[in-house]
Amino acid sequence: MVAPTPRRNWKRLQPTSLRHAMELCKDHAREKLNRSVEGIAAEMGLADHWTLYKWFQNGRMPLNLLIPFESACGIDFVSRWHAASKGRLLVEIPSGRDLRQTDIVELHNGFGEALRLLADLYAGKAEAAPTVAALTAHLEQVAWHRANVAQHAEPELDFTS
């Protein structure tokens, strides 16, 4: 009997290269949206899905197709990788919505994971890449909460629910 594949926590994943970011977007489209490469290409308005395979192989994509690609995949790993490669973080713009209990739990768990990996790294028991990914994810969560608190006084309408 084959063991089930563990579910990915898409919020905590951090791409390590442009090619990895493109592959994560493709995987997200398949796992969460049940969308194949052919479906992604069709959603983007491409005539030939083989063009997408070429872009996955060489890690190149025209910039004007980045937003349609990420929209078709339902996630923005390529944009996040571009920002991180220049030493920047991307933070989703919060609407000033009320806090949910799961928000605090996710923040706490993210901090715990980042702290554990950081301690393990300095003890020689962890690799740098997952430690950087965990720290980046935690910083993004904290920055989102900071902006949400600032926006809380004048909340916007929540159109996502």
Side-chain angles (χ1 to χ4, degrees):
M1 184 165 136
V2 177
T5 306
R7 296 184 68 194
R8 295 190 211 194
N9 184 344
W10 292 101
K11 289 182 180 182
R12 301 198 47 77
L13 281 175
Q14 295 293 326
T16 57
S17 67
L18 178 56
R19 196 168 166 186
H20 184 229
M22 293 171 74
E23 289 173 10
L24 286 173
C25 284
K26 175 184 61 78
D27 292 347
H28 182 271
R30 186 186 67 241
E31 291 179 24
K32 292 295 187 179
L33 304 175
N34 197 25
R35 191 169 286 160
S36 64
V37 172
E38 292 83 359
I40 295 168
E43 190 74 23
M44 291 174 65
L46 295 177
D48 184 11
H49 72 277
W50 293 106
T51 304
L52 263 179
Y53 282 112
K54 181 179 79 173
W55 293 338
F56 294 144
Q57 180 184 21
N58 64 23
R60 298 174 129 192
M61 176 186 292
L63 186 58
N64 64 330
L65 292 175
L66 175 60
I67 292 174
F69 173 69
E70 289 182 335
S71 293
C73 294
I75 203 155
D76 61 354
F77 282 122
V78 177
S79 293
R80 283 195 248 167
W81 180 82
H82 273 288
S85 71
K86 296 305 254 176
R88 306 289 191 266
L89 291 176
L90 292 184
V91 178
E92 186 178 338
I93 298 173
S95 60
R97 68 169 170 78
D98 287 336
L99 191 68
R100 291 189 286 248
Q101 189 63 30
T102 56
D103 294 333
I104 296 295
V105 172
E106 285 179 11
L107 184 64
H108 177 74
N109 289 343
F111 178 66
E113 177 68 9
L115 193 58
R116 182 187 64 76
L117 284 170
L118 189 60
D120 286 351
L121 177 78
Y122 288 127
K125 300 179 205 169
E127 298 292 322
T131 305
V132 168
L135 288 168
T136 301
H138 179 64
L139 286 171
E140 288 173 351
Q141 285 180 319
V142 170
W144 183 90
H145 280 284
R146 180 193 180 280
N148 195 54
V149 168
Q151 184 69 25
H152 197 266
E154 297 180 32
E156 299 172 4
L157 296 175
D158 187 8
F159 293 112
T160 59
S161 304

